[in-house]
Amino acid sequence: MAERTYRAQPPLPKVTAGTTEIPVVQDSYCWDYLGCRDYVGGKTMYNGQALTSVAPGEDIQILLDYQPQPSKVNVAEIKDDNSYEAVPLSEGGFAAPKESGVYYYTYFATWTTADGKYTLNQTSAVFAVEIQ
């Protein structure tokens, strides 16, 4: 097993639209030596954060600067009724919506054993954009 560097929290992705970085807030996680933390999740986690303006259809990129990379990454839009709608990723990103409004997203990453049978670590985060 490779030696790991201690972290005070699980890794967070860097989310950008062009050269603009979009703030990301840590959400629930289970991370080996840190244990598990369960937060309220969803839009509530993003309260108090400034919204980042993004052009309609602009490319939003998500990069996790951590090795090893997660076995699986999911991104979902958090709808007004707090349901989740999967966002298909292409080359680590997706196109921003074309209609104006505020959009909230959840990012979920999972690391598994090589055979995929067992989960080693999980982390999630929340971010939002405003389309004008």
Side-chain angles (χ1 to χ4, degrees):
M1 178 181 260
E3 188 174 324
R4 292 178 290 176
T5 303
Y6 177 80
R7 303 176 63 87
Q9 70 176 31
L12 286 173
K14 181 177 181 181
V15 180
T16 56
T19 59
T20 303
E21 190 165 343
I22 299 167
V24 177
V25 176
Q26 179 73 61
D27 203 350
S28 300
Y29 61 85
C30 281
W31 198 262
D32 52 23
Y33 52 82
L34 296 174
C36 295
R37 293 207 66 172
D38 194 17
Y39 295 100
V40 67
K43 296 177 184 181
T44 304
M45 290 300 298
Y46 211 75
N47 283 347
Q49 294 291 323
L51 293 171
T52 303
S53 293
V54 173
E58 187 170 2
D59 188 38
I60 296 174
Q61 284 295 307
I62 303 170
L63 172 69
L64 186 66
D65 186 16
Y66 182 83
Q67 293 300 326
Q69 286 288 296
S71 308
K72 187 174 185 180
V73 170
N74 294 310
V75 173
E77 181 185 344
I78 306 167
K79 305 303 257 180
D80 287 338
D81 63 359
N82 287 320
S83 64
Y84 294 87
E85 184 176 308
V87 174
L89 296 177
S90 176
E91 297 180 22
F94 64 97
K98 294 187 176 171
E99 293 184 30
S100 63
V102 176
Y103 295 83
Y104 293 86
Y105 296 93
T106 185
Y107 166 92
F108 189 77
T110 303
W111 287 258
T112 62
T113 54
D115 61 9
K117 288 184 180 181
Y118 303 100
T119 298
L120 298 172
N121 290 307
Q122 295 178 320
T123 187
S124 60
V126 178
F127 62 96
V129 296
E130 182 173 21
I131 309 299
Q132 297 184 341

